[in-house]
Amino acid sequence: LGETPIKVAELRWGKEAAKKVMPSGCDGCDVVIGCEVIYQHDDETAQALVEAMRFLVREDGICLMAYEFRDGLMQDAVFFDCANEVFEVSGESLVQYGFGLSSE
């Protein structure tokens, strides 16, 4: 990890809220992690989450978002539509790690 300190912070969504948790002099995070944050949000909330992610992650960084398919998938698609406008999005199954549903 070198000499760079690791910071974990609670985040209210939106660019302005993200500015409050960003350390001074920091040009972005290498990794932004989210889990259990995507679930049937309205358009405004989904957009605020994507804005926060975009503000926090540096240009060559990565956002890792854990998502479990549940009822309301169509409503959750709003978040993914917003994210696809800003990021290159790909999905990865966690079955190999013992999570999710196997197709077998």
Side-chain angles (χ1 to χ4, degrees), residues 26-60:
C26 181
D27 66 346
C29 302
D30 296 321
V31 181
V32 173
I33 300 172
C35 181
E36 296 294 327
V37 295
I38 306 165
Y39 187 66
Q40 298 185 0
H41 299 301
D42 59 32
D43 293 7
E44 182 180 355
T45 304
Q47 185 64 43
L49 175 56
V50 173
E51 285 175 3
M53 293 164 54
R54 181 64 205 111
F55 179 79
L56 290 170
V57 72
R58 65 186 329 140
E59 198 63 37
D60 59 346

Side-chain angles (χ1 to χ4, degrees), residues 70-83:
R70 301 182 182 130
D71 61 322
L73 176 61
M74 295 308 294
Q75 195 168 356
D76 292 345
V78 171
F79 165 79
F80 294 107
D81 288 344
C82 291

